[in-house]
Amino acid sequence: MESTKTLKTASIHQVPKDGSRLPLMEAFYTIQGEGGNTGTAAYFIRLGGCDVGCHWCDVKESWDAELHPLTAIEEIVSTAAAFPGKTVVVTGGEPLLYNLNPLTSLLQENGIRTMIETSGAYPLSGYWDWVCLSPKKFKAPDVSVYPFADELKVIIFNKSDFAWAEEHAARVGEKTKLYLQPEWSKANQLMPLIVEYVKSNPQWRVSLQTHKYMDIP
């Protein structure tokens, strides 16, 4: 019997390498709830497929690309363009598993601003107006991604994560905005630590998952 990881890899390999179709888990219009663009109306495109494996991930159903239909990028962009907020956030899963050049080109041709949320585990593809790099301990970022990060968003799960966050902050550009965000299930416990850390290290900012407080997707 094949392992789960092998099955994930096999399903990912079924996605066309030319980026013409992508495994679309879900897409929805909402308000960006966290990080540097909090409060912005945006159309979220969540792609299936991930081999990073964060144990606290709240969308584990996105991990297996095979569960999500391969969808033509023309269809994805056409639906996105129907909404008044001309910003798209591509997320996952781990979206950099795929060639995102065609999708982002078509979005930008339609006057839509492109953003990505990624662990950085794979080299960057696509043309982006904003790159949110959110590195995970389970699979280190590809070193080529760091210079492109407009935003570094580190999830704090325990006290040791502050030092780990500084390791990644040393690798991004001087203009990259730095955010610390509590893991949702431990937010009450971690928030006092994050607040004190940011007060002592003001180059960092606090990121909250405000969409969860607002009870929106």
Side-chain angles (χ1 to χ4, degrees):
M1 182 175 180
E2 289 185 287
S3 69
T4 302
K5 188 170 183 179
T6 301
L7 286 171
K8 290 175 186 174
T9 303
S11 60
I12 287 168
H13 286 172
Q14 294 172 8
V15 179
K17 292 184 178 180
D18 65 2
S20 60
R21 294 185 296 155
L22 296 166
L24 182 64
M25 175 185 168
E26 61 179 347
F28 52 92
Y29 187 54
T30 187
I31 302 295
Q32 170 63 281
E34 58 193 64
N37 293 285
T38 296
T40 303
Y43 185 74
F44 276 70
I45 296 170
R46 186 182 303 282
L47 301 180
C50 185
D51 59 358
V52 178
C54 305
H55 63 84
W56 38 257
C57 176
D58 57 4
V59 282
K60 290 180 179 178
E61 60 271 28
S62 70
W63 290 6
D64 189 349
E66 195 174 42
L67 299 178
H68 309 295
L70 286 175
T71 305
I73 60 170
E74 291 81 6
E75 179 181 339
I76 296 173
V77 173
S78 175
T79 305
F83 293 92
K86 301 304 179 186
T87 296
V88 153
V89 178
V90 179
T91 185
E94 175 42 66
L96 289 183
L97 284 167
Y98 312 115
N99 175 8
L100 300 177
N101 292 348
L103 174 66
T104 51
S105 292
L106 194 55
L107 286 166
Q108 291 183 348
E109 288 173 13
N110 281 267
I112 298 172
R113 189 176 180 224
T114 57
M115 301 183 181
I116 187 171
E117 295 186 358
T118 176
S119 70
Y122 294 90
L124 194 70
S125 67
Y127 308 102
W128 304 103
D129 296 297
W130 188 269
V131 174
C132 172
L133 173 61
S134 185
K136 304 299 189 295
K137 286 184 175 179
F138 316 100
K139 189 164 187 174
D142 187 275
V143 295
S144 65
V145 178
Y146 288 105
F148 296 97
D150 296 288
E151 167 187 350
L152 176 70
K153 183 177 67 183
V154 178
I155 308 302
I156 301 297
F157 186 74
N158 54 49
K159 291 182 180 180
S160 67
D161 290 337
F162 291 106
W164 187 76
E166 294 291 358
E167 292 177 16
H168 292 284
R171 298 173 185 171
V172 297
E174 293 182 3
K175 295 184 179 180
T176 303
K177 297 183 184 296
L178 306 178
Y179 288 91
L180 300 174
Q181 180 172 298
E183 196 277 320
W184 177 253
S185 69
K186 300 176 68 175
N188 291 339
Q189 173 187 343
L190 294 169
M191 188 54 67
L193 300 178
I194 293 174
V195 168
E196 289 306 312
Y197 192 88
V198 171
K199 286 164 65 177
S200 298
N201 302 272
Q203 70 274 23
W204 290 93
R205 304 179 185 186
V206 178
S207 173
L208 295 175
Q209 291 180 292
T210 61
H211 54 290
K212 293 190 175 181
Y213 291 100
M214 292 186 286
D215 194 26
I216 59 175

